[in-house]
Amino acid sequence: MPVKKKRKLPDPDDHQQKCKITSFTQHPICAKKPFSSKKCLAWFHQYAGRDEVVGPEGMERFCEDLCVAPENVIMLVLAWHLEAANMGFFTKDEWLRGMASLQCDCTERLQSKLDDLQSELNDLGLFKNIYRYSFDFARDKDQRNLDMDTAKSMLDLLLGRSWPLFPVFLQFLESKYKGVNKDQWYNVLEFSRSIRTDLTNYDEDGAWPVLLDEFVEWHKACSAL
């Protein structure tokens, strides 16, 4: 999850982790103790200081302690669990409520859940929820749409490795659009899941947004050259 001051997500492959994720088995004492709200609050203030929110600098330190890059999709899954409203920020209420639901009151406990968070992306229903959540999470709150740089970065994060047509779709977006609205965002996921890479099962009379009609027309025209 990128910090707010950097709207564009770097390529996760460019990140060189400086440490390995700590094994849960290395913290048996932490494992046996029940969740502590007091400990969770103290953990929050390690990154928020005296503020009521973990901001960009605190978020970077939090990611360093987890040994997870800020742009790793796991941070988006975590933000979804915390129901965080703004990219690059966790409020105290979001932290306490979300970490309590995960039963995590320290770095080691959260590290032990990272594989579980990653695996949630393989659940089609959960992934759809995370994908839809990401629109409002990444959107500037004074704008109705996702700006194009943010939309491209988030699409790359969520669909870049699973949708064969993603590179072509990205090229189309860059050539024609300056942003993506919520309806378009939702339908891109459905398109990526249901339409074949050769587009032969695309119904031009279906209830797809104009953006996808134009993409199909553009792609067919390019393929015919």
Side-chain angles (χ1 to χ4, degrees), residues 24-162:
F24 186 48
T25 58
Q26 293 177 325
H27 302 276
I29 296 177
C30 182
K32 294 178 182 178
K33 291 183 177 180
F35 174 83
S36 167
S37 297
K38 183 177 180 180
K39 185 177 180 181
C40 189
L41 179 60
W43 183 33
F44 168 82
H45 283 296
Q46 288 180 23
Y47 305 106
R50 297 181 180 180
D51 296 330
E52 296 291 299
V53 61
V54 177
E57 291 183 3
M59 194 69 74
E60 288 183 1
R61 289 188 286 107
F62 175 58
C63 291
E64 287 175 2
D65 289 348
L66 282 178
C67 296
V68 173
E71 65 271 13
N72 193 306
V73 70
I74 289 178
M75 295 304 297
L76 177 61
V77 180
L78 176 62
W80 174 68
H81 275 281
L82 271 57
E83 300 179 24
N86 295 293
M87 183 185 293
F89 298 86
F90 289 151
T91 67
K92 184 171 71 173
D93 287 344
E94 291 167 351
W95 181 285
L96 295 178
R97 180 182 61 245
M99 293 302 184
S101 70
L102 292 170
Q103 290 292 284
C104 294
D105 56 14
C106 62
T107 300
E108 292 78 18
R109 277 186 166 170
L110 183 55
Q111 284 177 322
S112 75
K113 297 287 183 72
L114 294 182
D115 286 344
D116 292 336
L117 296 181
Q118 180 72 44
S119 68
E120 289 179 348
L121 296 167
N122 299 322
D123 182 295
L124 294 180
L126 290 179
F127 182 85
K128 182 176 181 178
N129 290 337
I130 294 166
Y131 177 91
R132 290 192 165 201
Y133 159 80
S134 69
F135 180 88
D136 285 322
F137 176 64
R139 172 178 61 87
D140 282 331
K141 298 308 179 278
D142 59 348
Q143 300 291 327
R144 295 183 61 184
N145 299 340
L146 273 181
D147 67 86
M148 186 49 63
D149 283 344
T150 303
K152 290 189 301 181
S153 296
M154 295 301 289
L155 286 171
D156 189 17
L157 186 70
L158 291 160
L159 299 179
R161 288 171 171 75
S162 61

Side-chain angles (χ1 to χ4, degrees), residues 163-165 186-203 208 212:
W163 185 25
L165 281 178
Y186 286 3
N187 275 278
V188 166
L189 175 61
E190 301 308 316
F191 183 97
S192 72
R193 287 179 168 182
S194 61
I195 303 302
R196 302 188 191 106
T197 55
D198 61 6
L199 307 178
T200 54
N201 65 331
Y202 184 78
D203 181 5
W208 297 104
L212 291 171

